[in-house]
Amino acid sequence: MNNKTLIIYKSSTGFTEKYAKLIAGKTGCKLAAYKSVTPGLIAKYDTIVFGSRAHAGMIDGYKKIKKITSKIPSVKLILFVTGATPAASKDIIEAFWKQNLSPEEMLKIPHFYMPGGLCYERMSMPDKLMMKMAALMIKNKKNKTPFEAGFENAIKASYDISSPEYIKPLVSIL
């Protein structure tokens, strides 16, 4: 059992929680929901694995975790992010990391992307509205790029592209 690592997850539709539980199951690490996290809890561990969703181009909840862990220099931070983008879309995923992490963080913080999917059934009303607006904007656009056409198709319905395979690189460093 790994008593020195805590996995913190922030999950809205279940994909991040699913991956956090898979990682904990493979490593024996403790689990904590984001809403229960305090600086005192984080200080008890050598390594924090923070998992969250990609939301509106950002890592949901990362600012809070970054603020807490930056005040505890002995804590090592590892990130994983779930999203609806397929793993094969490496350029999109790399651009996401560059948008969210400084060049120093890119080198210092191990970070992993794990495809999840979309779950309209568990999505909040504001997120559903945001997705409907995006769908309408693309639907009404003439001369769609291949990316836009693919995006339009991808957001039509719920889907799950998660797989236990995606935790292997993260698990290998714990």
Side-chain angles (χ1 to χ4, degrees):
M1 177 168 246
N2 186 336
N3 291 322
K4 296 183 182 227
T5 300
L6 176 66
I7 300 168
I8 301 168
Y9 65 92
K10 186 170 198 277
S11 190
S12 296
T13 58
F15 295 109
T16 305
E17 181 178 6
K18 178 181 179 179
Y19 278 122
K21 287 179 176 179
L22 284 170
I23 296 163
K26 287 284 186 192
T27 62
C29 297
K30 296 274 188 185
L31 272 175
Y34 176 82
K35 61 186 171 205
S36 69
V37 171
T38 63
L41 177 65
I42 287 177
K44 294 178 184 179
Y45 294 89
D46 295 338
T47 302
I48 298 298
V49 176
F50 177 60
S52 189
R53 65 181 174 156
H55 184 254
M58 305 299 285
I59 302 169
D60 192 17
Y62 177 56
K63 285 184 182 179
K64 175 183 173 181
I65 297 299
K66 181 179 173 178
K67 183 177 179 181
I68 295 171
T69 57
S70 70
K71 293 178 181 177
I72 311 168
S74 62
V75 171
K76 177 183 178 183
L77 180 61
I78 299 170
L79 295 174
F80 76 89
V81 172
T82 62
T85 302
S89 301
K90 297 198 183 303
D91 291 346
I92 294 169
I93 295 165
E94 187 63 25
F96 170 82
W97 286 121
K98 287 180 179 177
Q99 179 177 321
N100 284 276
L101 301 177
S102 70
E104 180 183 310
E105 289 172 320
M106 291 280 287
L107 294 172
K108 182 181 174 188
I109 301 171
H111 49 281
F112 303 88
Y113 179 77
M114 299 176 190
L118 284 176
C119 182
Y120 285 108
E121 297 78 13
R122 294 184 69 187
M123 202 177 278
S124 70
M125 189 55 68
D127 286 345
K128 284 180 186 177
L129 289 172
M130 184 174 72
M131 295 302 288
K132 283 194 178 280
M133 291 295 291
L136 277 174
M137 287 176 18
I138 291 176
K139 180 181 179 184
N140 295 327
K141 186 175 180 185
K142 294 181 184 354
N143 302 320
K144 295 176 186 123
T145 67
F147 174 80
E148 290 166 333
F151 181 70
E152 179 183 27
N153 191 47
I155 64 174
K156 285 183 179 177
S158 296
Y159 59 91
D160 182 346
I161 55 173
S162 64
S163 169
E165 291 295 310
Y166 295 119
I167 71 167
K168 288 181 178 180
L170 192 154
V171 167
S172 75
I173 67 169
L174 292 178

